[in-house]
Each structure stands twice: as structure tokens, then as C-alpha cells.
Amino acid sequence: MPTPIIIDCDPGHDDAIAILLALAHPGELDIRGITTVGGNQILDKITDNALKILSFVNADIPVAKGAAAPLLGKLVTGEEAHGESGMDGPALPASKFKPVEQGAVEFMLEIIRASEEKITLVPTAPLTNIALLITAYPEVKERIEKISLMGGGLAYGNVTRTAEFNIYVDPEAARIVFESGIPIVMSGLDVTDKAAIFEEEIQELKTRGPVSVMVGELLDFYSIYGKKMGFVGNALHDPCAIAWLLHPELFESEHLYVTVETEGKLTRGMTVADRRKKPDQPANTEVLLGVDREAFIKLLFDSLERLDRQLGSPAGES
Ligand code: RIB
Ligand code: CA
């Protein structure tokens, strides 16, 4: 039975790749819905990008718009890395899909309540929507199997020395989620920076089918920021949260108690792990720390090739 999931995202180049990775595995992942949140860009652009990606591969998955801003303060976008549109690079055609009328919280609540099986949430963005959902409707927590999220980092940040973007944008929401009691699998920078795609692999993608080429063009743009920051390779952050659901054996992890600093001058938005084994503070998070990079990249290539074949074949053939 495929795992029912909701992806909560801010496309965002790597969010888009995460969505495509999930779409390529309908036998393992049943995407019940996608929700959007302000993050890499403002909410309208994020939602438009999500709809464009789905339209590009003819995936009619319902999309609901969520929070435009964090619980406190103003939205800080990731425009520097993702560009003015939030997904600069390929000129994707306008989407043939529109978002649903409901807001993201109501949309997620309805899906979770209607589902026989528990739902797995896959947030690859600031955690505002998730925090609003479980705060407004705490009873849904027992209907959520787990949260496989991209966010945080034990060793360092990428917005400040200590805070990773998804947590930095809304530390209060992140703290609510980490302290919710729902089991968390955290794809933080400790692992996502190791899940990097290299230049020659990006160029290889552009010799393949339409979906692989489009992803190659996304990564061409997304690499610009990385090169400016002196990174070797292009970290595929968000796809890790999906890849773990598909092949957890590709990852090394530790089970730790993690929460989020919301007050510190230098540490606001930092995910703080406690390695002390305290009986009154059981581990709440499986923190991913390592990945078999070659196998991860092969999974991505094979998944995109599957979508290429689907797109290349006459409608209706899989
Ligand atoms: O720090 C990486 C995260 O920030 C990813 O989710 C990326 O999409 C950006 O939102
Ligand atoms: Ca993201």
C-alpha cells in the first residue's frame, strides 16, 4: 500500500524536484495533496510555481494556498537563491491547473480526517502551515503518522551561522512542530549538503527527456547561488525528505531530542539537539546525518527518466 502524504512546500527549485521525485513513485507514495507557504518567494509566486510543475507533468494533484507570512514578523524570502519568480531558469508554460478554494489548514484537516490510514506530512518549507494545523486542531496529531521534513541543521546554518532557512523564517512554528509529539524525520543541512549534484551530472540530465532537461535547467540556475557561496556541487535539500520515505536505507541517522531556539541573538532559528539520554526527554526526531550520494543521485535520475517516459508516451500509457 502506498504511503499517503501531503507535501507542504515553497517551490523553489529543490521543492520542485522533491515533488517530481514523489510523483515518479505512485506505488510507494500517494500524494493526497500539496499545500504552499510563503518562503522562497511570496505565496502567490510559490503557488504558481507548484501548479506549473504539476501541469508540466500532467499531474492533477489538488493544491491549497497556505500562510503568506510566518507566525511572527515579516516574510524573509529566498529570492537570492531562487530568483524573482522563486523558480528562475526554465520558462515553464502557464499551468492548466488552479488552486482549490480551501486554505491549506482546512485542506489538510479534511484530508487527514477523511483518510482511513494515518497521513505522513512532508514539509519542505517554513513550518507555518503545519504549526497552525496542529495548534488549531490538536486532535489531528494522532492521525499523523510522521513528519519527514527538510529543515534545520545540528552543525551550522545557511541563513545565519546557526539557522537554516526553513527554520529561520518561522522559528516559533518550527518549535511547535518539533515539540508536538509527532515523530519527526529531519533532513537538515547535516545530510542535505552531502546530497549534492555535481556539474557534470546536471549536464547529463540535459541530454535526456523533457522532465530531466527541465530539472537540469532548474539546477543550472540554482547552481549560480551555490557557486557564489563557494559550494562544491548543488545541495538537493528538499528531495531528501522524499528520498528517505522511498529508501531510508540510503541514509545514516541518530535518534535525538531536538527543539528550536526562538530567543537567541545569535541562535534564533537554530535546531538544538540533546545527545544526553534523559528518561524524561525521549528522542522526538530521527536526525539524518549521512547519505549514499551516488545511490541518491541514481534514484533521482531513474525517477526523472520514469517521468520522461510517461510524458513521452501517448496520453494514458504509463
Ligand atoms: O535551506 C534549504 C531550504 O530553504 C530548502 O527548503 C529550500 O527550498 C529553501 O526553502
Ligand atoms: Ca523549500
Side-chain angles (χ1 to χ4, degrees):
M1 277 293 279
T3 301
I5 66 171
I6 296 173
I7 299 176
D8 184 63
C9 57
D10 61 342
H13 295 72
D14 53 334
D15 303 75
I17 298 169
I19 292 169
L20 293 169
L21 183 58
L23 285 170
H25 295 271
E28 293 88 5
L29 299 175
D30 172 10
I31 308 175
R32 299 282 175 89
I34 290 178
T35 50
T36 59
V37 62
N40 286 324
Q41 254 302 349
I42 59 171
L43 182 63
D44 285 347
K45 293 182 178 178
I46 293 297
T47 307
D48 193 41
N49 293 338
L51 293 165
K52 280 180 177 172
I53 285 293
L54 293 173
S55 188
F56 190 88
V57 292
N58 299 322
D60 189 6
I61 306 266
V63 173
K65 292 173 73 169
L71 296 181
L72 301 181
K74 285 187 182 322
L75 174 65
V76 171
T77 72
E79 180 162 332
E80 208 183 343
H82 297 271
E84 190 277 329
S85 72
M87 208 165 71
D88 282 14
L92 298 184
S95 179
K96 48 180 170 268
F97 302 129
K98 295 276 181 246
V100 299
E101 286 300 311
Q102 290 161 310
V105 170
E106 187 186 354
F107 178 69
M108 287 192 279
L109 178 67
E110 201 167 276
I111 289 171
I112 292 169
R113 281 178 169 167
S115 175
E116 273 180 35
E117 318 94 326
K118 288 188 177 185
I119 298 283
T120 293
L121 302 181
V122 188
T124 61
L127 291 162
T128 317
N129 290 339
I130 312 301
L132 289 169
L133 170 71
I134 62 179
T135 303
Y137 303 97
E139 74 278 6
V140 298
K141 288 195 281 191
E142 62 187 37
R143 302 298 303 139
I144 295 169
E145 180 68 31
K146 65 175 56 149
I147 297 175
S148 177
L149 64 84
M150 191 280 142
L154 303 191
Y156 55 85
N158 59 6
V159 179
T160 69
R161 281 169 286 183
T162 55
E164 176 279 327
F165 179 81
N166 289 338
I167 311 299
Y168 176 81
V169 168
D170 197 339
E172 281 72 21
R175 182 170 194 152
I176 288 168
V177 173
F178 275 89
E179 296 189 355
S180 66
I182 301 168
I184 294 186
V185 178
M186 172 178 145
S187 294
L189 297 177
D190 316 277
V191 70
T192 65
D193 277 348
K194 294 169 187 158
I197 188 167
F198 297 128
E199 188 59 33
E200 60 276 14
E201 293 163 331
I202 295 172
Q203 298 318 313
E204 162 64 22
L205 276 177
K206 295 197 298 184
T207 67
R208 294 172 166 228
V211 182
S212 299
V213 167
M214 185 267 286
V215 168
E217 290 169 353
L218 283 173
L219 290 167
D220 272 346
F221 179 86
Y222 198 37
S223 306
I224 297 168
Y225 180 72
K227 285 173 186 150
K228 214 189 290 179
M229 302 299 279
F231 299 155
V232 175
N234 206 327
L236 296 176
H237 303 289
D238 295 336
C240 287
I242 294 288
W244 183 85
L245 292 171
L246 294 169
H247 290 285
E249 74 281 4
L250 299 186
F251 296 88
E252 292 145 35
S253 63
E254 263 191 75
H255 288 80
L256 298 166
Y257 182 80
V258 177
T259 186
V260 176
E261 175 56 69
T262 57
E263 306 294 331
K265 191 166 180 301
L266 295 176
T267 55
R268 176 168 162 76
M270 179 177 179
T271 46
V272 182
D274 191 340
R275 283 197 158 85
R276 297 169 300 166
K277 303 298 179 203
K278 295 172 67 185
D280 61 340
Q281 186 187 263
N284 58 354
T285 304
E286 179 171 356
V287 180
L288 304 190
L289 296 168
V291 62
D292 177 340
R293 190 203 78 86
E294 283 65 32
F296 172 80
I297 294 297
K298 183 178 186 314
L299 172 65
L300 177 65
F301 272 57
D302 293 351
S303 304
L304 294 175
E305 192 173 15
R306 204 181 273 189
L307 296 176
D308 285 334
R309 280 200 303 275
Q310 283 170 17
L311 210 59
S313 61
E317 283 180 26
S318 62

